[in-house]
Amino acid sequence: GDSVTQTEGLVTLTEGLPVMLNCTYQTIYSNPFLFWYVHYLNESPRLLLKSSTDNKRTEHQGFHATLHKSSSSFHLQKSSAQLSDSALYYCALSGGSGNKLIFGTGTLLSVKP
Amino acid sequence: GGIITQTPKFLIGQEGQKLTLKCQQNFNHDTMYWYRQDSGKGLRLIYYSITENDLQKGDLSEGYDASREKKSSFSLTVTSAQKNEMAVFLCASRDWDSYEQYFGPGTRLTVL
């Protein structure tokens, strides 16, 4: 079945350093949608960015990701971490009808001064 | 715009008790979801509903029932609460065209 792998459970960074959160996936569908959701403490999870286009960079709120079907990856990046980026980040996959999202286990990003 | 509300925000129950969590959305979305959030395990799908009166089991449906009596609401029942069920339960609804899911603020369940 479909699956999403986020290898880092916790990433701790100093403010100003670059962010890269890893996401790889497995699916039988040739045109999957990939998503990054962000969950700030005491808020609802919300969509950060999404893509279904191979090799096209998508950006939002300073974060960017590129779907690479050849390597089944959708890594989240940011050039310079801010304290306010501290949150739980989920990578998710939707294939087929789109009725279900398969979430990874999440990466907690902690940005320190 | 729209909003998803979940009640209650905190739910405390006794082991073996039947407990119900409620979710309302005003997006007019057809599809709604219940997820369980556990630290280190991500968001796991319990039940979803494609339309009113439809129910589909997710990967974690054992021990839970769900009810979708009208388009705007989706309830989840823990049939017999267990201590290892302490978690946050998140409700979501889906925008059909964009595939995006919108989440509620969650219900935190504690079982004594």
Side-chain angles (χ1 to χ4, degrees), chain B residues 15-107:
Chain B
E15 197 166 19
Q17 193 176 0
K18 185 175 175 179
L19 302 166
T20 298
L21 294 69
K22 295 186 183 294
C23 175
Q24 296 266 349
Q25 54 100 357
N26 64 1
F27 287 99
N28 200 35
H29 289 160
D30 287 315
T31 308
M32 295 184 72
Y33 306 82
W34 275 107
Y35 292 94
R36 176 174 158 160
Q37 182 181 45
D38 295 274
S39 179
K41 294 185 180 177
L43 296 177
R44 293 182 290 172
L45 183 64
I46 305 172
Y47 266 96
Y48 67 105
S49 167
I50 296 171
T51 190
E52 188 177 323
N53 293 318
D54 174 73
L55 291 174
Q56 307 281 339
K57 291 184 178 182
D59 297 327
L60 211 63
S61 62
E62 190 170 334
Y64 302 94
D65 285 330
S67 171
R68 182 92 184 274
E69 290 164 353
K70 52 183 181 177
K71 188 175 182 178
S72 61
S73 67
F74 193 29
S75 298
L76 180 73
T77 297
V78 181
T79 55
S80 177
Q82 304 298 314
K83 287 200 173 178
N84 63 2
E85 260 173 322
M86 292 191 285
V88 175
F89 292 81
L90 290 165
C91 176
S93 68
R94 176 196 156 182
D95 179 278
W96 187 258
D97 293 325
S98 71
Y99 286 26
E100 181 178 350
Q101 290 187 18
Y102 295 82
F103 285 85
T107 292

Side-chain angles (χ1 to χ4, degrees), chain B residues 2-18:
Chain B
I3 192 167
I4 295 181
T5 56
Q6 290 187 238
T7 55
K9 189 168 182 175
F10 299 96
L11 181 57
I12 300 174
Q14 300 289 329
E15 197 166 19
Q17 193 176 0
K18 185 175 175 179

